[in-house]
């Protein structure tokens, strides 16, 4: 049974989260302040943490920072009443796995819990090389050849392309690209992704303005087709 540590100082919300997670079959441990959260995270090693930001004693950011400093890589979904970009950015920089803004539906929360746990348990299979048309890509070296010419790919270009090809035919949202290619070391804007895709198309597509392989999925992200 997967164990979830829920950290929330609002009693009704805490109880509601606990009930719903238990109904879904999770074992639930709860904390009402940041210090208790940190102690429980260390002593119970949960599979996932739901972490409120505004908390007594230590706030959620501080809990997350100290947790990561101690080498705990427990997945964390931050809960917050604020929808400010700065909170989202800070949380992800500190190593949160996802972020949900209050008020949220329990259905949405459960979906994110499942997604984070699933990603945790089955990291996507990485491909090392791929060929389409006259393009060959060696992901280990971040190098492509096109019609015999060698083309260097940047770390992020190769990362985006690898993610899209690994999930060939499936639309991949910009947020997932940020999560999986940039991770939490940096958190660029989604515009950065678009710029990298433009460069990828210039390097690999026969007609970069009418791409045949690296396609835009309107309002969502990108997908790769052969
Ligand atoms: Ca709170």
């Amino acid at each position: 049974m997967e164990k979830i540590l829920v950290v929330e100082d609002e009693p009704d919300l805490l109880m509601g989260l606990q009930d719903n997670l238990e109904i879904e079959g999770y074992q639930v441990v709860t904390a009402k302040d940041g210090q208790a959260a940190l102690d429980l995270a260390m002593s119970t090693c949960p599979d996932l943490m739901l972490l409120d930001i505004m908390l007594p004693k230590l706030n959620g950011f501080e809990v997350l920072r100290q947790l990561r400093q101690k080498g705990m890589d427990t997945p964390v979904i931050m809960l917050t009443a604020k929808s400010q970009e700065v909170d989202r950015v800070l949380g992800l920089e500190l190593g949160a796995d996802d972020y949900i803004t209050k008020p949220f539906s329990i259905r949405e929360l459960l979906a994110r819990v499942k997604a984070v746990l699933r990603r945790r348990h089955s990291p996507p299979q990485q491909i090392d090389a791929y060929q389409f048309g006259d393009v060959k890509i060696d992901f280990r070296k971040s190098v492509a050849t096109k019609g015999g010419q060698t083309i260097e790919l940047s770390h992020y270009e190769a990362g985006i392309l690898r993610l899209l090809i690994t999930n060939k035919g499936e639309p991949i949202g910009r947020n997932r690209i940020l999560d999986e290619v940039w991770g939490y070391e940096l958190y660029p804007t989604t515009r950065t992704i678009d710029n990298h895709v433009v460069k990828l198309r210039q390097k690999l597509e026969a007609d970069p303005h009418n791409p045949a392989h690296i396609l835009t999925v309107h309002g969502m992200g990108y997908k790769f087709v052969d």
Side-chain angles (χ1 to χ4, degrees):
M1 195 190 275
E2 284 165 318
K3 193 190 302 168
I4 300 181
L5 171 55
V6 183
V7 188
E8 172 58 64
D9 60 329
E10 198 184 302
D12 289 349
L13 182 53
L14 181 60
M15 203 186 297
L17 288 169
Q18 179 168 15
D19 286 350
N20 279 286
L21 290 166
E22 284 176 351
I23 288 166
E24 290 294 308
Y26 299 108
Q27 184 188 344
V28 178
V29 184
T30 64
K32 295 187 180 78
D33 68 67
Q35 188 57 55
L38 203 53
D39 296 344
L40 272 172
M42 302 301 289
S43 63
T44 66
C45 295
D47 296 291
L48 173 74
M49 255 174 104
L50 299 181
L51 180 59
D52 187 25
I53 291 178
M54 301 297 280
L55 287 168
K57 297 187 185 171
L58 293 177
N59 71 34
F61 293 131
E62 190 56 26
V63 172
L64 180 57
R65 201 179 59 76
Q66 291 197 28
L67 201 68
R68 295 295 185 242
Q69 256 177 7
K70 291 174 199 290
M72 298 279 292
D73 62 353
T74 314
V76 171
I77 299 177
M78 306 290 291
L79 310 176
T80 182
K82 298 177 190 171
S83 58
Q84 280 145 350
E85 180 75 3
V86 61
D87 280 354
R88 197 168 76 104
V89 171
L90 183 56
L92 293 168
E93 275 176 353
L94 287 170
D97 295 75
D98 204 352
Y99 196 96
I100 192 163
T101 305
K102 297 176 192 171
F104 48 79
S105 75
I106 202 75
R107 202 165 139 254
E108 185 187 358
L109 180 84
L110 290 172
R112 295 206 190 194
V113 164
K114 277 187 195 137
V116 169
L117 287 171
R118 192 174 52 230
R119 245 184 318 192
R120 191 67 169 182
H121 292 162
S122 56
Q125 276 207 309
Q126 293 271 40
I127 45 163
D128 290 331
Y130 197 78
Q131 183 167 3
F132 60 96
D134 63 344
V135 176
K136 279 185 199 166
I137 301 155
D138 181 344
F139 287 107
R140 283 162 304 192
K141 295 180 185 156
S142 291
V143 162
T145 56
K146 183 168 184 276
Q149 259 199 323
T150 302
I151 301 164
E152 301 279 340
L153 301 177
S154 76
H155 172 73
Y156 293 119
E157 287 165 6
I160 293 169
L161 192 60
R162 193 180 215 173
L163 176 63
L164 295 180
I165 289 176
T166 302
N167 299 280
K168 197 165 69 176
E170 189 188 323
I172 305 295
R174 289 185 178 79
N175 283 336
R176 181 161 166 208
I177 296 175
L178 286 177
D179 274 356
E180 296 197 20
V181 178
W182 271 261
Y184 48 75
E185 289 161 27
L186 290 165
Y187 206 75
T189 64
T190 51
R191 182 81 198 129
T192 310
I193 295 175
D194 300 339
N195 292 336
H196 280 87
V197 168
V198 167
K199 283 190 199 141
L200 268 176
R201 285 174 175 158
Q202 286 166 350
K203 290 180 179 181
L204 305 178
E205 294 276 1
D207 178 358
H209 296 290
N210 294 296
H213 303 287
I214 305 164
L215 307 183
T216 300
V217 181
H218 188 68
M220 197 227 170
Y222 296 98
K223 75 173 173 185
F224 180 88
V225 295
D226 273 320

